[in-house]
Amino acid sequence: QVQLVESGGGLVQAGGSLRLSCAASGRSFSGYAMGWFRQAPGKEREFVAAISYSGSYRYYADSVKGRFTISRDNAKNTVDLQMNSLNAEDTAVYYCAAGSVSGTPTNYPYWGQGTQVTVSS
């Protein structure tokens, strides 16, 4: 089992930045790829970014490429998502997940509870 807890969400103006963090506990964190997903009201959960277990490989949704950066610290069991140039379309609940590197939610068996990000225009 891996337990995940997100933090760092909040309200930000369009064009601003937020940094989300996900703290992991339980089974070996460094053995899992980590992903960030988001879900807006009335929409399906969508892939945002993923990072391999070593941190060597990073993947991004086209909608966030160039604005968001995923990183991890295996010594601290954390994975972060730096979000810049935020816009209203980024408003959603953001989830941290652990599993196999992929853009598909079903490849991640472990999920956090989510943190709300609201971007005001």
Side-chain angles (χ1 to χ4, degrees):
Q1 287 285 344
V2 176
Q3 292 78 43
L4 303 171
V5 178
E6 302 96 336
S7 61
L11 175 64
V12 63
Q13 288 188 335
S17 299
L18 277 178
R19 188 176 184 90
L20 305 183
S21 186
C22 175
S25 61
R27 296 184 65 180
S28 178
F29 171 76
S30 60
Y32 292 96
M34 299 298 296
W36 284 96
F37 291 78
R38 65 188 182 186
Q39 188 166 18
K43 295 187 177 181
E44 293 187 353
R45 191 166 297 189
E46 65 172 0
F47 170 73
V48 175
I51 188 167
S52 62
Y53 71 93
S54 66
S56 298
Y57 301 97
R58 307 180 188 193
Y59 308 89
Y60 298 94
D62 287 343
S63 59
V64 306
K65 203 171 293 183
R67 300 188 298 122
F68 290 12
T69 302
I70 189 172
S71 60
R72 69 186 295 164
D73 186 333
N74 287 343
K76 296 181 179 179
N77 285 3
T78 58
V79 59
D80 291 347
L81 184 69
Q82 177 65 44
M83 306 186 295
N84 299 327
S85 301
L86 287 161
N87 58 59
E89 288 69 40
D90 296 316
T91 295
V93 177
Y94 283 71
Y95 297 90
C96 169
S100 301
V101 65
S102 169
T104 305
T106 54
N107 286 343
Y108 294 84
Y110 304 109
W111 291 82
Q113 82 289 349
T115 186
Q116 177 71 47
V117 171
T118 302
V119 183
S120 63
S121 56

PDB file of all heavy atoms in Angstrom, residues 68-82:
ATOM      1  N   PHE A  68       3.761  23.644 -16.982  1.00  0.00           N
ATOM      2  CA  PHE A  68       3.835  22.832 -15.763  1.00  0.00           C
ATOM      3  C   PHE A  68       5.133  22.017 -15.769  1.00  0.00           C
ATOM      4  O   PHE A  68       5.605  21.598 -16.824  1.00  0.00           O
ATOM      5  CB  PHE A  68       2.656  21.863 -15.685  1.00  0.00           C
ATOM      6  CG  PHE A  68       1.309  22.492 -15.428  1.00  0.00           C
ATOM      7  CD1 PHE A  68       1.114  23.859 -15.520  1.00  0.00           C
ATOM      8  CD2 PHE A  68       0.222  21.690 -15.097  1.00  0.00           C
ATOM      9  CE1 PHE A  68      -0.123  24.431 -15.285  1.00  0.00           C
ATOM     10  CE2 PHE A  68      -1.025  22.234 -14.862  1.00  0.00           C
ATOM     11  CZ  PHE A  68      -1.195  23.598 -14.962  1.00  0.00           C
ATOM     12  N   THR A  69       5.656  21.774 -14.584  1.00  0.00           N
ATOM     13  CA  THR A  69       6.850  20.942 -14.431  1.00  0.00           C
ATOM     14  C   THR A  69       6.641  19.961 -13.286  1.00  0.00           C
ATOM     15  O   THR A  69       6.309  20.369 -12.173  1.00  0.00           O
ATOM     16  CB  THR A  69       8.090  21.792 -14.147  1.00  0.00           C
ATOM     17  OG1 THR A  69       8.286  22.735 -15.211  1.00  0.00           O
ATOM     18  CG2 THR A  69       9.331  20.908 -14.039  1.00  0.00           C
ATOM     19  N   ILE A  70       6.841  18.676 -13.582  1.00  0.00           N
ATOM     20  CA  ILE A  70       6.749  17.640 -12.551  1.00  0.00           C
ATOM     21  C   ILE A  70       8.154  17.285 -12.091  1.00  0.00           C
ATOM     22  O   ILE A  70       9.091  17.226 -12.897  1.00  0.00           O
ATOM     23  CB  ILE A  70       5.988  16.405 -13.075  1.00  0.00           C
ATOM     24  CG1 ILE A  70       5.708  15.424 -11.937  1.00  0.00           C
ATOM     25  CG2 ILE A  70       6.735  15.745 -14.225  1.00  0.00           C
ATOM     26  CD1 ILE A  70       4.782  14.271 -12.342  1.00  0.00           C
ATOM     27  N   SER A  71       8.296  17.047 -10.792  1.00  0.00           N
ATOM     28  CA  SER A  71       9.591  16.655 -10.248  1.00  0.00           C
ATOM     29  C   SER A  71       9.353  15.736  -9.058  1.00  0.00           C
ATOM     30  O   SER A  71       8.252  15.707  -8.503  1.00  0.00           O
ATOM     31  CB  SER A  71      10.406  17.880  -9.829  1.00  0.00           C
ATOM     32  OG  SER A  71       9.729  18.621  -8.825  1.00  0.00           O
ATOM     33  N   ARG A  72      10.381  15.003  -8.671  1.00  0.00           N
ATOM     34  CA  ARG A  72      10.252  14.112  -7.518  1.00  0.00           C
ATOM     35  C   ARG A  72      11.547  14.093  -6.737  1.00  0.00           C
ATOM     36  O   ARG A  72      12.629  14.326  -7.298  1.00  0.00           O
ATOM     37  CB  ARG A  72       9.850  12.698  -7.953  1.00  0.00           C
ATOM     38  CG  ARG A  72      10.910  11.933  -8.708  1.00  0.00           C
ATOM     39  CD  ARG A  72      10.341  10.606  -9.223  1.00  0.00           C
ATOM     40  NE  ARG A  72       9.983   9.707  -8.133  1.00  0.00           N
ATOM     41  CZ  ARG A  72       9.186   8.633  -8.297  1.00  0.00           C
ATOM     42  NH1 ARG A  72       8.670   8.375  -9.503  1.00  0.00           N
ATOM     43  NH2 ARG A  72       8.911   7.855  -7.273  1.00  0.00           N
ATOM     44  N   ASP A  73      11.407  13.795  -5.461  1.00  0.00           N
ATOM     45  CA  ASP A  73      12.554  13.650  -4.570  1.00  0.00           C
ATOM     46  C   ASP A  73      12.377  12.320  -3.860  1.00  0.00           C
ATOM     47  O   ASP A  73      11.593  12.220  -2.904  1.00  0.00           O
ATOM     48  CB  ASP A  73      12.611  14.811  -3.579  1.00  0.00           C
ATOM     49  CG  ASP A  73      13.855  14.804  -2.730  1.00  0.00           C
ATOM     50  OD1 ASP A  73      14.439  13.715  -2.498  1.00  0.00           O
ATOM     51  OD2 ASP A  73      14.258  15.883  -2.254  1.00  0.00           O
ATOM     52  N   ASN A  74      13.085  11.303  -4.316  1.00  0.00           N
ATOM     53  CA  ASN A  74      12.918   9.964  -3.737  1.00  0.00           C
ATOM     54  C   ASN A  74      13.460   9.877  -2.306  1.00  0.00           C
ATOM     55  O   ASN A  74      13.059   9.007  -1.551  1.00  0.00           O
ATOM     56  CB  ASN A  74      13.576   8.924  -4.630  1.00  0.00           C
ATOM     57  CG  ASN A  74      12.779   8.675  -5.902  1.00  0.00           C
ATOM     58  OD1 ASN A  74      11.601   9.032  -5.993  1.00  0.00           O
ATOM     59  ND2 ASN A  74      13.426   8.076  -6.892  1.00  0.00           N
ATOM     60  N   ALA A  75      14.344  10.756  -1.938  1.00  0.00           N
ATOM     61  CA  ALA A  75      14.850  10.770  -0.562  1.00  0.00           C
ATOM     62  C   ALA A  75      13.794  11.296   0.407  1.00  0.00           C
ATOM     63  O   ALA A  75      13.753  10.895   1.573  1.00  0.00           O
ATOM     64  CB  ALA A  75      16.112  11.610  -0.475  1.00  0.00           C
ATOM     65  N   LYS A  76      12.946  12.190  -0.085  1.00  0.00           N
ATOM     66  CA  LYS A  76      11.902  12.782   0.750  1.00  0.00           C
ATOM     67  C   LYS A  76      10.527  12.177   0.494  1.00  0.00           C
ATOM     68  O   LYS A  76       9.554  12.542   1.152  1.00  0.00           O
ATOM     69  CB  LYS A  76      11.846  14.289   0.518  1.00  0.00           C
ATOM     70  CG  LYS A  76      13.103  15.031   0.930  1.00  0.00           C
ATOM     71  CD  LYS A  76      12.956  16.530   0.698  1.00  0.00           C
ATOM     72  CE  LYS A  76      14.196  17.287   1.139  1.00  0.00           C
ATOM     73  NZ  LYS A  76      14.068  18.742   0.903  1.00  0.00           N
ATOM     74  N   ASN A  77      10.437  11.262  -0.475  1.00  0.00           N
ATOM     75  CA  ASN A  77       9.160  10.638  -0.833  1.00  0.00           C
ATOM     76  C   ASN A  77       8.115  11.670  -1.240  1.00  0.00           C
ATOM     77  O   ASN A  77       6.962  11.644  -0.785  1.00  0.00           O
ATOM     78  CB  ASN A  77       8.615   9.790   0.325  1.00  0.00           C
ATOM     79  CG  ASN A  77       9.366   8.486   0.487  1.00  0.00           C
ATOM     80  OD1 ASN A  77      10.343   8.219  -0.240  1.00  0.00           O
ATOM     81  ND2 ASN A  77       8.960   7.681   1.440  1.00  0.00           N
ATOM     82  N   THR A  78       8.530  12.592  -2.085  1.00  0.00           N
ATOM     83  CA  THR A  78       7.603  13.618  -2.536  1.00  0.00           C
ATOM     84  C   THR A  78       7.645  13.763  -4.053  1.00  0.00           C
ATOM     85  O   THR A  78       8.667  13.475  -4.700  1.00  0.00           O
ATOM     86  CB  THR A  78       7.915  14.985  -1.914  1.00  0.00           C
ATOM     87  OG1 THR A  78       9.255  15.361  -2.254  1.00  0.00           O
ATOM     88  CG2 THR A  78       7.760  14.961  -0.403  1.00  0.00           C
ATOM     89  N   VAL A  79       6.547  14.207  -4.610  1.00  0.00           N
ATOM     90  CA  VAL A  79       6.475  14.572  -6.007  1.00  0.00           C
ATOM     91  C   VAL A  79       5.739  15.903  -6.089  1.00  0.00           C
ATOM     92  O   VAL A  79       4.735  16.101  -5.402  1.00  0.00           O
ATOM     93  CB  VAL A  79       5.793  13.487  -6.860  1.00  0.00           C
ATOM     94  CG1 VAL A  79       4.382  13.203  -6.386  1.00  0.00           C
ATOM     95  CG2 VAL A  79       5.802  13.868  -8.322  1.00  0.00           C
ATOM     96  N   ASP A  80       6.276  16.815  -6.861  1.00  0.00           N
ATOM     97  CA  ASP A  80       5.726  18.159  -6.958  1.00  0.00           C
ATOM     98  C   ASP A  80       5.251  18.453  -8.370  1.00  0.00           C
ATOM     99  O   ASP A  80       5.713  17.849  -9.342  1.00  0.00           O
ATOM    100  CB  ASP A  80       6.784  19.197  -6.570  1.00  0.00           C
ATOM    101  CG  ASP A  80       7.133  19.148  -5.098  1.00  0.00           C
ATOM    102  OD1 ASP A  80       6.410  18.495  -4.322  1.00  0.00           O
ATOM    103  OD2 ASP A  80       8.148  19.770  -4.719  1.00  0.00           O
ATOM    104  N   LEU A  81       4.344  19.404  -8.462  1.00  0.00           N
ATOM    105  CA  LEU A  81       3.895  19.901  -9.748  1.00  0.00           C
ATOM    106  C   LEU A  81       3.927  21.423  -9.690  1.00  0.00           C
ATOM    107  O   LEU A  81       3.108  22.037  -8.991  1.00  0.00           O
ATOM    108  CB  LEU A  81       2.475  19.418 -10.061  1.00  0.00           C
ATOM    109  CG  LEU A  81       1.954  19.806 -11.450  1.00  0.00           C
ATOM    110  CD1 LEU A  81       2.733  19.035 -12.530  1.00  0.00           C
ATOM    111  CD2 LEU A  81       0.459  19.513 -11.570  1.00  0.00           C
ATOM    112  N   GLN A  82       4.882  22.008 -10.376  1.00  0.00           N
ATOM    113  CA  GLN A  82       4.981  23.464 -10.467  1.00  0.00           C
ATOM    114  C   GLN A  82       4.112  23.915 -11.630  1.00  0.00           C
ATOM    115  O   GLN A  82       4.320  23.471 -12.763  1.00  0.00           O
ATOM    116  CB  GLN A  82       6.425  23.889 -10.687  1.00  0.00           C
ATOM    117  CG  GLN A  82       6.618  25.390 -10.871  1.00  0.00           C
ATOM    118  CD  GLN A  82       6.270  26.176  -9.630  1.00  0.00           C
ATOM    119  OE1 GLN A  82       6.636  25.795  -8.526  1.00  0.00           O
ATOM    120  NE2 GLN A  82       5.574  27.292  -9.812  1.00  0.00           N
TER     121      GLN A  82
END
